Amino acid sequence: MPETFKAILVSRDEDKKQSVAVTEMTEADLMEGDVTVAVEATTVNYKDGLAITGKAPVVRRWPLVPGIDFAGTVLSSSNPGWKAGDKVILNGWGVGETHYGAYAGRARVKGEWLVPLPQGMSAHDAMAVGTAGYTAMLCVMALERHGITPQRGPVVVTGASGGVGSVAVAILSKLGYHVVASTGRGAESAYLTGLGAAEIISREELSAPGKPLAKERWAGGVDAIGSTTLANVLSMTSYGGAVAACGLAGGMDLPATVAPFILRGVSLLGIDSVMAPKALRLEAWKRIRTDLDLAKLKALSTTIGFDDIIDAAGDIVAGRIRGRVVVDM
């Protein structure tokens, strides 16, 4: 008999009512691909929470195994770039949205979607970083390309207690930036200070409708919230500054004006981690290995088991998750 493994499967009926179940699968049930991986660790991202709870239309193929990222070991490969025994990471590429994802014991994917696990990192470490941390690194790299150095002034990180925010705070502080961490959870101040934040501000300072152009407070920012928060961050960015936008936890709209762009030369840098080219991914993971204090991963992550994924999905959407959640498979 073929080996079976547990998987989470989201389905919906003719009335489009979604359901979630734990089932048994075999490799024959997996989708097409030229590399099969034993999933050793994964994580619960905000997007995974939306997929499992059905709070937003993340899933675009039914039924589907959710889970947008994983780390593991190649079991078999017909792709010349990979062989059995290779340690790999996957982020994005529609996995967990249109292609069976990480919440199963095995994953079959295209080899070009994979990158090597950096030397010195375990699968658990890689998923403590996860797509959220990899996205945070892409944001930092974008700010650097725009010339936003520590000498330019403070940088703000919104949603700082979340996955992207936590890693962004840790990376930016290690690189020497004065980090202003915005959070809606005042109880997390000590946590954020431990990650390297120099200042903590309340989410309320940025979440209410503000002026088209406000007092200059920072040279750059990393925003995972969107909506009014991003509009306010832009209005408070200093001349020639830039904000990297990568999320929509507060909404997809952007109720802003052109004032910051045409009066202060502010730039809005869009960050997409799902379809980012491989060269950028390789650079991001190389930088994560050198510019993120792996000791801080313990402070910004918690570990759960496969059976806890569904509950964690509800918690992350409800805003009850701090930092990163690693799933030990």
PDB file of all heavy atoms in Angstrom, residues 15-52:
ATOM      1  N   ASP A  15     -23.288  25.579  -2.994  1.00  0.00           N
ATOM      2  CA  ASP A  15     -23.715  26.907  -2.530  1.00  0.00           C
ATOM      3  C   ASP A  15     -22.541  27.785  -2.120  1.00  0.00           C
ATOM      4  O   ASP A  15     -22.720  28.834  -1.509  1.00  0.00           O
ATOM      5  CB  ASP A  15     -24.675  26.755  -1.346  1.00  0.00           C
ATOM      6  CG  ASP A  15     -25.946  26.026  -1.728  1.00  0.00           C
ATOM      7  OD1 ASP A  15     -26.426  26.241  -2.861  1.00  0.00           O
ATOM      8  OD2 ASP A  15     -26.450  25.230  -0.906  1.00  0.00           O
ATOM      9  N   LYS A  16     -21.325  27.320  -2.423  1.00  0.00           N
ATOM     10  CA  LYS A  16     -20.080  28.031  -2.114  1.00  0.00           C
ATOM     11  C   LYS A  16     -19.844  28.190  -0.613  1.00  0.00           C
ATOM     12  O   LYS A  16     -19.147  29.103  -0.187  1.00  0.00           O
ATOM     13  CB  LYS A  16     -20.044  29.387  -2.818  1.00  0.00           C
ATOM     14  CG  LYS A  16     -20.030  29.271  -4.342  1.00  0.00           C
ATOM     15  CD  LYS A  16     -19.820  30.608  -5.005  1.00  0.00           C
ATOM     16  CE  LYS A  16     -19.744  30.445  -6.533  1.00  0.00           C
ATOM     17  NZ  LYS A  16     -19.532  31.739  -7.226  1.00  0.00           N
ATOM     18  N   LYS A  17     -20.389  27.269   0.166  1.00  0.00           N
ATOM     19  CA  LYS A  17     -20.105  27.256   1.593  1.00  0.00           C
ATOM     20  C   LYS A  17     -18.815  26.475   1.824  1.00  0.00           C
ATOM     21  O   LYS A  17     -18.679  25.331   1.390  1.00  0.00           O
ATOM     22  CB  LYS A  17     -21.250  26.596   2.359  1.00  0.00           C
ATOM     23  CG  LYS A  17     -21.026  26.584   3.870  1.00  0.00           C
ATOM     24  CD  LYS A  17     -22.191  25.939   4.600  1.00  0.00           C
ATOM     25  CE  LYS A  17     -21.926  25.901   6.103  1.00  0.00           C
ATOM     26  NZ  LYS A  17     -23.060  25.256   6.835  1.00  0.00           N
ATOM     27  N   GLN A  18     -17.856  27.098   2.494  1.00  0.00           N
ATOM     28  CA  GLN A  18     -16.536  26.493   2.683  1.00  0.00           C
ATOM     29  C   GLN A  18     -16.505  25.570   3.881  1.00  0.00           C
ATOM     30  O   GLN A  18     -17.149  25.815   4.899  1.00  0.00           O
ATOM     31  CB  GLN A  18     -15.476  27.589   2.848  1.00  0.00           C
ATOM     32  CG  GLN A  18     -14.056  27.046   3.004  1.00  0.00           C
ATOM     33  CD  GLN A  18     -13.003  28.129   2.934  1.00  0.00           C
ATOM     34  OE1 GLN A  18     -13.080  29.015   2.083  1.00  0.00           O
ATOM     35  NE2 GLN A  18     -12.019  28.074   3.818  1.00  0.00           N
ATOM     36  N   SER A  19     -15.724  24.493   3.759  1.00  0.00           N
ATOM     37  CA  SER A  19     -15.493  23.576   4.869  1.00  0.00           C
ATOM     38  C   SER A  19     -14.016  23.224   4.916  1.00  0.00           C
ATOM     39  O   SER A  19     -13.297  23.329   3.916  1.00  0.00           O
ATOM     40  CB  SER A  19     -16.337  22.306   4.727  1.00  0.00           C
ATOM     41  OG  SER A  19     -16.004  21.621   3.532  1.00  0.00           O
ATOM     42  N   VAL A  20     -13.556  22.833   6.097  1.00  0.00           N
ATOM     43  CA  VAL A  20     -12.156  22.472   6.307  1.00  0.00           C
ATOM     44  C   VAL A  20     -12.112  21.114   6.986  1.00  0.00           C
ATOM     45  O   VAL A  20     -12.840  20.867   7.954  1.00  0.00           O
ATOM     46  CB  VAL A  20     -11.427  23.513   7.188  1.00  0.00           C
ATOM     47  CG1 VAL A  20      -9.958  23.148   7.328  1.00  0.00           C
ATOM     48  CG2 VAL A  20     -11.577  24.906   6.620  1.00  0.00           C
ATOM     49  N   ALA A  21     -11.250  20.225   6.509  1.00  0.00           N
ATOM     50  CA  ALA A  21     -11.158  18.894   7.087  1.00  0.00           C
ATOM     51  C   ALA A  21      -9.722  18.402   7.050  1.00  0.00           C
ATOM     52  O   ALA A  21      -8.934  18.791   6.187  1.00  0.00           O
ATOM     53  CB  ALA A  21     -12.054  17.916   6.323  1.00  0.00           C
ATOM     54  N   VAL A  22      -9.399  17.539   8.010  1.00  0.00           N
ATOM     55  CA  VAL A  22      -8.115  16.836   7.993  1.00  0.00           C
ATOM     56  C   VAL A  22      -8.359  15.485   7.339  1.00  0.00           C
ATOM     57  O   VAL A  22      -9.283  14.758   7.705  1.00  0.00           O
ATOM     58  CB  VAL A  22      -7.556  16.656   9.416  1.00  0.00           C
ATOM     59  CG1 VAL A  22      -6.277  15.825   9.382  1.00  0.00           C
ATOM     60  CG2 VAL A  22      -7.291  18.012  10.050  1.00  0.00           C
ATOM     61  N   THR A  23      -7.542  15.162   6.351  1.00  0.00           N
ATOM     62  CA  THR A  23      -7.741  13.935   5.590  1.00  0.00           C
ATOM     63  C   THR A  23      -6.423  13.194   5.419  1.00  0.00           C
ATOM     64  O   THR A  23      -5.366  13.696   5.788  1.00  0.00           O
ATOM     65  CB  THR A  23      -8.358  14.267   4.213  1.00  0.00           C
ATOM     66  OG1 THR A  23      -8.683  13.063   3.522  1.00  0.00           O
ATOM     67  CG2 THR A  23      -7.380  15.075   3.366  1.00  0.00           C
ATOM     68  N   GLU A  24      -6.493  11.995   4.883  1.00  0.00           N
ATOM     69  CA  GLU A  24      -5.297  11.215   4.547  1.00  0.00           C
ATOM     70  C   GLU A  24      -5.089  11.266   3.043  1.00  0.00           C
ATOM     71  O   GLU A  24      -6.033  11.126   2.262  1.00  0.00           O
ATOM     72  CB  GLU A  24      -5.475   9.752   4.993  1.00  0.00           C
ATOM     73  CG  GLU A  24      -5.542   9.553   6.506  1.00  0.00           C
ATOM     74  CD  GLU A  24      -4.188   9.659   7.172  1.00  0.00           C
ATOM     75  OE1 GLU A  24      -3.175   9.375   6.497  1.00  0.00           O
ATOM     76  OE2 GLU A  24      -4.130  10.029   8.356  1.00  0.00           O
ATOM     77  N   MET A  25      -3.848  11.475   2.637  1.00  0.00           N
ATOM     78  CA  MET A  25      -3.525  11.539   1.217  1.00  0.00           C
ATOM     79  C   MET A  25      -2.325  10.650   0.936  1.00  0.00           C
ATOM     80  O   MET A  25      -1.621  10.220   1.860  1.00  0.00           O
ATOM     81  CB  MET A  25      -3.205  12.987   0.797  1.00  0.00           C
ATOM     82  CG  MET A  25      -4.350  13.963   0.953  1.00  0.00           C
ATOM     83  SD  MET A  25      -3.900  15.680   0.493  1.00  0.00           S
ATOM     84  CE  MET A  25      -3.672  15.488  -1.270  1.00  0.00           C
ATOM     85  N   THR A  26      -2.087  10.388  -0.343  1.00  0.00           N
ATOM     86  CA  THR A  26      -0.867   9.717  -0.801  1.00  0.00           C
ATOM     87  C   THR A  26      -0.217  10.621  -1.847  1.00  0.00           C
ATOM     88  O   THR A  26      -0.820  11.588  -2.309  1.00  0.00           O
ATOM     89  CB  THR A  26      -1.154   8.348  -1.432  1.00  0.00           C
ATOM     90  OG1 THR A  26      -1.832   8.541  -2.689  1.00  0.00           O
ATOM     91  CG2 THR A  26      -2.012   7.482  -0.510  1.00  0.00           C
ATOM     92  N   GLU A  27       1.000  10.295  -2.243  1.00  0.00           N
ATOM     93  CA  GLU A  27       1.674  11.109  -3.256  1.00  0.00           C
ATOM     94  C   GLU A  27       0.903  11.134  -4.570  1.00  0.00           C
ATOM     95  O   GLU A  27       1.007  12.100  -5.333  1.00  0.00           O
ATOM     96  CB  GLU A  27       3.102  10.607  -3.485  1.00  0.00           C
ATOM     97  CG  GLU A  27       4.048  10.927  -2.341  1.00  0.00           C
ATOM     98  CD  GLU A  27       5.507  10.636  -2.672  1.00  0.00           C
ATOM     99  OE1 GLU A  27       5.826  10.470  -3.867  1.00  0.00           O
ATOM    100  OE2 GLU A  27       6.326  10.585  -1.730  1.00  0.00           O
ATOM    101  N   ALA A  28       0.104  10.116  -4.823  1.00  0.00           N
ATOM    102  CA  ALA A  28      -0.695  10.078  -6.054  1.00  0.00           C
ATOM    103  C   ALA A  28      -1.757  11.170  -6.076  1.00  0.00           C
ATOM    104  O   ALA A  28      -2.235  11.552  -7.146  1.00  0.00           O
ATOM    105  CB  ALA A  28      -1.361   8.708  -6.207  1.00  0.00           C
ATOM    106  N   ASP A  29      -2.106  11.697  -4.887  1.00  0.00           N
ATOM    107  CA  ASP A  29      -3.122  12.741  -4.802  1.00  0.00           C
ATOM    108  C   ASP A  29      -2.552  14.136  -5.049  1.00  0.00           C
ATOM    109  O   ASP A  29      -3.309  15.098  -5.217  1.00  0.00           O
ATOM    110  CB  ASP A  29      -3.777  12.733  -3.418  1.00  0.00           C
ATOM    111  CG  ASP A  29      -4.500  11.434  -3.130  1.00  0.00           C
ATOM    112  OD1 ASP A  29      -5.258  10.986  -4.012  1.00  0.00           O
ATOM    113  OD2 ASP A  29      -4.319  10.883  -2.026  1.00  0.00           O
ATOM    114  N   LEU A  30      -1.229  14.265  -5.066  1.00  0.00           N
ATOM    115  CA  LEU A  30      -0.606  15.572  -5.211  1.00  0.00           C
ATOM    116  C   LEU A  30      -0.745  16.098  -6.630  1.00  0.00           C
ATOM    117  O   LEU A  30      -0.988  15.337  -7.571  1.00  0.00           O
ATOM    118  CB  LEU A  30       0.870  15.496  -4.827  1.00  0.00           C
ATOM    119  CG  LEU A  30       1.160  15.102  -3.373  1.00  0.00           C
ATOM    120  CD1 LEU A  30       2.669  14.945  -3.160  1.00  0.00           C
ATOM    121  CD2 LEU A  30       0.586  16.122  -2.395  1.00  0.00           C
ATOM    122  N   MET A  31      -0.566  17.401  -6.781  1.00  0.00           N
ATOM    123  CA  MET A  31      -0.678  18.019  -8.093  1.00  0.00           C
ATOM    124  C   MET A  31       0.625  17.862  -8.879  1.00  0.00           C
ATOM    125  O   MET A  31       1.609  17.318  -8.374  1.00  0.00           O
ATOM    126  CB  MET A  31      -1.068  19.496  -7.929  1.00  0.00           C
ATOM    127  CG  MET A  31      -2.486  19.676  -7.378  1.00  0.00           C
ATOM    128  SD  MET A  31      -2.935  21.417  -7.109  1.00  0.00           S
ATOM    129  CE  MET A  31      -2.947  22.030  -8.796  1.00  0.00           C
ATOM    130  N   GLU A  32       0.627  18.372 -10.108  1.00  0.00           N
ATOM    131  CA  GLU A  32       1.770  18.195 -10.995  1.00  0.00           C
ATOM    132  C   GLU A  32       2.980  18.974 -10.485  1.00  0.00           C
ATOM    133  O   GLU A  32       2.866  19.962  -9.755  1.00  0.00           O
ATOM    134  CB  GLU A  32       1.419  18.654 -12.417  1.00  0.00           C
ATOM    135  CG  GLU A  32       1.285  20.151 -12.609  1.00  0.00           C
ATOM    136  CD  GLU A  32      -0.002  20.750 -12.049  1.00  0.00           C
ATOM    137  OE1 GLU A  32      -0.920  19.971 -11.688  1.00  0.00           O
ATOM    138  OE2 GLU A  32      -0.087  21.982 -11.971  1.00  0.00           O
ATOM    139  N   GLY A  33       4.156  18.530 -10.893  1.00  0.00           N
ATOM    140  CA  GLY A  33       5.405  19.159 -10.513  1.00  0.00           C
ATOM    141  C   GLY A  33       6.543  18.200 -10.782  1.00  0.00           C
ATOM    142  O   GLY A  33       6.325  16.995 -10.989  1.00  0.00           O
ATOM    143  N   ASP A  34       7.781  18.718 -10.760  1.00  0.00           N
ATOM    144  CA  ASP A  34       8.912  17.844 -11.050  1.00  0.00           C
ATOM    145  C   ASP A  34       9.806  17.606  -9.835  1.00  0.00           C
ATOM    146  O   ASP A  34      10.856  16.990  -9.950  1.00  0.00           O
ATOM    147  CB  ASP A  34       9.737  18.373 -12.230  1.00  0.00           C
ATOM    148  CG  ASP A  34      10.156  19.826 -12.078  1.00  0.00           C
ATOM    149  OD1 ASP A  34      10.005  20.383 -10.973  1.00  0.00           O
ATOM    150  OD2 ASP A  34      10.636  20.414 -13.079  1.00  0.00           O
ATOM    151  N   VAL A  35       9.380  18.098  -8.666  1.00  0.00           N
ATOM    152  CA  VAL A  35      10.109  17.849  -7.427  1.00  0.00           C
ATOM    153  C   VAL A  35       9.117  17.520  -6.318  1.00  0.00           C
ATOM    154  O   VAL A  35       8.141  18.254  -6.123  1.00  0.00           O
ATOM    155  CB  VAL A  35      10.962  19.068  -7.005  1.00  0.00           C
ATOM    156  CG1 VAL A  35      11.749  18.758  -5.725  1.00  0.00           C
ATOM    157  CG2 VAL A  35      11.914  19.504  -8.108  1.00  0.00           C
ATOM    158  N   THR A  36       9.362  16.419  -5.615  1.00  0.00           N
ATOM    159  CA  THR A  36       8.533  16.048  -4.464  1.00  0.00           C
ATOM    160  C   THR A  36       9.354  16.244  -3.198  1.00  0.00           C
ATOM    161  O   THR A  36      10.497  15.788  -3.113  1.00  0.00           O
ATOM    162  CB  THR A  36       8.060  14.590  -4.564  1.00  0.00           C
ATOM    163  OG1 THR A  36       7.314  14.427  -5.786  1.00  0.00           O
ATOM    164  CG2 THR A  36       7.167  14.224  -3.389  1.00  0.00           C
ATOM    165  N   VAL A  37       8.752  16.941  -2.234  1.00  0.00           N
ATOM    166  CA  VAL A  37       9.461  17.340  -1.021  1.00  0.00           C
ATOM    167  C   VAL A  37       8.745  16.788   0.213  1.00  0.00           C
ATOM    168  O   VAL A  37       7.511  16.831   0.293  1.00  0.00           O
ATOM    169  CB  VAL A  37       9.539  18.881  -0.918  1.00  0.00           C
ATOM    170  CG1 VAL A  37      10.264  19.317   0.356  1.00  0.00           C
ATOM    171  CG2 VAL A  37      10.220  19.474  -2.148  1.00  0.00           C
ATOM    172  N   ALA A  38       9.531  16.273   1.156  1.00  0.00           N
ATOM    173  CA  ALA A  38       8.999  15.946   2.477  1.00  0.00           C
ATOM    174  C   ALA A  38       8.956  17.241   3.274  1.00  0.00           C
ATOM    175  O   ALA A  38       9.992  17.862   3.531  1.00  0.00           O
ATOM    176  CB  ALA A  38       9.888  14.927   3.176  1.00  0.00           C
ATOM    177  N   VAL A  39       7.763  17.681   3.644  1.00  0.00           N
ATOM    178  CA  VAL A  39       7.602  18.945   4.359  1.00  0.00           C
ATOM    179  C   VAL A  39       7.993  18.737   5.818  1.00  0.00           C
ATOM    180  O   VAL A  39       7.383  17.934   6.531  1.00  0.00           O
ATOM    181  CB  VAL A  39       6.160  19.467   4.245  1.00  0.00           C
ATOM    182  CG1 VAL A  39       6.009  20.772   5.024  1.00  0.00           C
ATOM    183  CG2 VAL A  39       5.763  19.653   2.790  1.00  0.00           C
ATOM    184  N   GLU A  40       9.022  19.453   6.255  1.00  0.00           N
ATOM    185  CA  GLU A  40       9.510  19.309   7.627  1.00  0.00           C
ATOM    186  C   GLU A  40       9.015  20.426   8.538  1.00  0.00           C
ATOM    187  O   GLU A  40       8.829  20.224   9.739  1.00  0.00           O
ATOM    188  CB  GLU A  40      11.038  19.276   7.629  1.00  0.00           C
ATOM    189  CG  GLU A  40      11.593  18.045   6.905  1.00  0.00           C
ATOM    190  CD  GLU A  40      13.091  18.130   6.668  1.00  0.00           C
ATOM    191  OE1 GLU A  40      13.733  19.080   7.167  1.00  0.00           O
ATOM    192  OE2 GLU A  40      13.621  17.244   5.976  1.00  0.00           O
ATOM    193  N   ALA A  41       8.837  21.606   7.976  1.00  0.00           N
ATOM    194  CA  ALA A  41       8.330  22.739   8.745  1.00  0.00           C
ATOM    195  C   ALA A  41       7.557  23.659   7.818  1.00  0.00           C
ATOM    196  O   ALA A  41       7.873  23.782   6.634  1.00  0.00           O
ATOM    197  CB  ALA A  41       9.471  23.502   9.411  1.00  0.00           C
ATOM    198  N   THR A  42       6.536  24.282   8.361  1.00  0.00           N
ATOM    199  CA  THR A  42       5.789  25.301   7.636  1.00  0.00           C
ATOM    200  C   THR A  42       5.407  26.363   8.650  1.00  0.00           C
ATOM    201  O   THR A  42       5.989  26.441   9.730  1.00  0.00           O
ATOM    202  CB  THR A  42       4.581  24.695   6.897  1.00  0.00           C
ATOM    203  OG1 THR A  42       3.885  25.734   6.198  1.00  0.00           O
ATOM    204  CG2 THR A  42       3.621  23.990   7.826  1.00  0.00           C
ATOM    205  N   THR A  43       4.472  27.203   8.296  1.00  0.00           N
ATOM    206  CA  THR A  43       4.106  28.298   9.177  1.00  0.00           C
ATOM    207  C   THR A  43       2.664  28.689   8.915  1.00  0.00           C
ATOM    208  O   THR A  43       2.047  28.208   7.966  1.00  0.00           O
ATOM    209  CB  THR A  43       5.056  29.486   8.962  1.00  0.00           C
ATOM    210  OG1 THR A  43       4.698  30.567   9.828  1.00  0.00           O
ATOM    211  CG2 THR A  43       5.021  29.975   7.531  1.00  0.00           C
ATOM    212  N   VAL A  44       2.132  29.545   9.775  1.00  0.00           N
ATOM    213  CA  VAL A  44       0.785  30.076   9.580  1.00  0.00           C
ATOM    214  C   VAL A  44       0.916  31.572   9.333  1.00  0.00           C
ATOM    215  O   VAL A  44       1.230  32.341  10.241  1.00  0.00           O
ATOM    216  CB  VAL A  44      -0.124  29.805  10.794  1.00  0.00           C
ATOM    217  CG1 VAL A  44      -1.530  30.361  10.534  1.00  0.00           C
ATOM    218  CG2 VAL A  44      -0.204  28.309  11.087  1.00  0.00           C
ATOM    219  N   ASN A  45       0.723  31.974   8.083  1.00  0.00           N
ATOM    220  CA  ASN A  45       0.754  33.380   7.695  1.00  0.00           C
ATOM    221  C   ASN A  45      -0.667  33.943   7.713  1.00  0.00           C
ATOM    222  O   ASN A  45      -1.651  33.205   7.750  1.00  0.00           O
ATOM    223  CB  ASN A  45       1.325  33.511   6.280  1.00  0.00           C
ATOM    224  CG  ASN A  45       2.768  33.071   6.182  1.00  0.00           C
ATOM    225  OD1 ASN A  45       3.675  33.778   6.583  1.00  0.00           O
ATOM    226  ND2 ASN A  45       2.983  31.874   5.652  1.00  0.00           N
ATOM    227  N   TYR A  46      -0.757  35.264   7.651  1.00  0.00           N
ATOM    228  CA  TYR A  46      -2.074  35.908   7.605  1.00  0.00           C
ATOM    229  C   TYR A  46      -2.879  35.391   6.414  1.00  0.00           C
ATOM    230  O   TYR A  46      -4.076  35.113   6.527  1.00  0.00           O
ATOM    231  CB  TYR A  46      -1.903  37.425   7.524  1.00  0.00           C
ATOM    232  CG  TYR A  46      -3.179  38.203   7.682  1.00  0.00           C
ATOM    233  CD1 TYR A  46      -3.792  38.327   8.926  1.00  0.00           C
ATOM    234  CD2 TYR A  46      -3.787  38.822   6.592  1.00  0.00           C
ATOM    235  CE1 TYR A  46      -4.975  39.037   9.082  1.00  0.00           C
ATOM    236  CE2 TYR A  46      -4.969  39.541   6.728  1.00  0.00           C
ATOM    237  CZ  TYR A  46      -5.553  39.656   7.974  1.00  0.00           C
ATOM    238  OH  TYR A  46      -6.722  40.358   8.117  1.00  0.00           O
ATOM    239  N   LYS A  47      -2.205  35.224   5.274  1.00  0.00           N
ATOM    240  CA  LYS A  47      -2.895  34.725   4.086  1.00  0.00           C
ATOM    241  C   LYS A  47      -3.413  33.304   4.312  1.00  0.00           C
ATOM    242  O   LYS A  47      -4.503  32.950   3.846  1.00  0.00           O
ATOM    243  CB  LYS A  47      -1.963  34.764   2.872  1.00  0.00           C
ATOM    244  CG  LYS A  47      -2.632  34.379   1.564  1.00  0.00           C
ATOM    245  CD  LYS A  47      -1.664  34.424   0.392  1.00  0.00           C
ATOM    246  CE  LYS A  47      -1.399  35.826  -0.064  1.00  0.00           C
ATOM    247  NZ  LYS A  47      -0.582  35.855  -1.318  1.00  0.00           N
ATOM    248  N   ASP A  48      -2.654  32.481   5.040  1.00  0.00           N
ATOM    249  CA  ASP A  48      -3.117  31.130   5.358  1.00  0.00           C
ATOM    250  C   ASP A  48      -4.352  31.179   6.241  1.00  0.00           C
ATOM    251  O   ASP A  48      -5.286  30.380   6.095  1.00  0.00           O
ATOM    252  CB  ASP A  48      -2.014  30.341   6.075  1.00  0.00           C
ATOM    253  CG  ASP A  48      -0.756  30.199   5.231  1.00  0.00           C
ATOM    254  OD1 ASP A  48      -0.887  29.922   4.025  1.00  0.00           O
ATOM    255  OD2 ASP A  48       0.347  30.367   5.779  1.00  0.00           O
ATOM    256  N   GLY A  49      -4.354  32.132   7.187  1.00  0.00           N
ATOM    257  CA  GLY A  49      -5.524  32.300   8.041  1.00  0.00           C
ATOM    258  C   GLY A  49      -6.750  32.652   7.228  1.00  0.00           C
ATOM    259  O   GLY A  49      -7.847  32.112   7.459  1.00  0.00           O
ATOM    260  N   LEU A  50      -6.588  33.543   6.254  1.00  0.00           N
ATOM    261  CA  LEU A  50      -7.707  33.915   5.390  1.00  0.00           C
ATOM    262  C   LEU A  50      -8.188  32.723   4.568  1.00  0.00           C
ATOM    263  O   LEU A  50      -9.389  32.535   4.365  1.00  0.00           O
ATOM    264  CB  LEU A  50      -7.287  35.056   4.460  1.00  0.00           C
ATOM    265  CG  LEU A  50      -6.955  36.396   5.121  1.00  0.00           C
ATOM    266  CD1 LEU A  50      -6.445  37.381   4.077  1.00  0.00           C
ATOM    267  CD2 LEU A  50      -8.162  36.971   5.851  1.00  0.00           C
ATOM    268  N   ALA A  51      -7.242  31.899   4.094  1.00  0.00           N
ATOM    269  CA  ALA A  51      -7.604  30.738   3.277  1.00  0.00           C
ATOM    270  C   ALA A  51      -8.427  29.732   4.069  1.00  0.00           C
ATOM    271  O   ALA A  51      -9.437  29.210   3.592  1.00  0.00           O
ATOM    272  CB  ALA A  51      -6.347  30.076   2.727  1.00  0.00           C
ATOM    273  N   ILE A  52      -7.998  29.446   5.300  1.00  0.00           N
ATOM    274  CA  ILE A  52      -8.674  28.426   6.106  1.00  0.00           C
ATOM    275  C   ILE A  52     -10.004  28.926   6.648  1.00  0.00           C
ATOM    276  O   ILE A  52     -10.996  28.182   6.677  1.00  0.00           O
ATOM    277  CB  ILE A  52      -7.743  27.940   7.236  1.00  0.00           C
ATOM    278  CG1 ILE A  52      -6.630  27.065   6.635  1.00  0.00           C
ATOM    279  CG2 ILE A  52      -8.517  27.162   8.296  1.00  0.00           C
ATOM    280  CD1 ILE A  52      -5.620  26.559   7.641  1.00  0.00           C
TER     281      ILE A  52
END
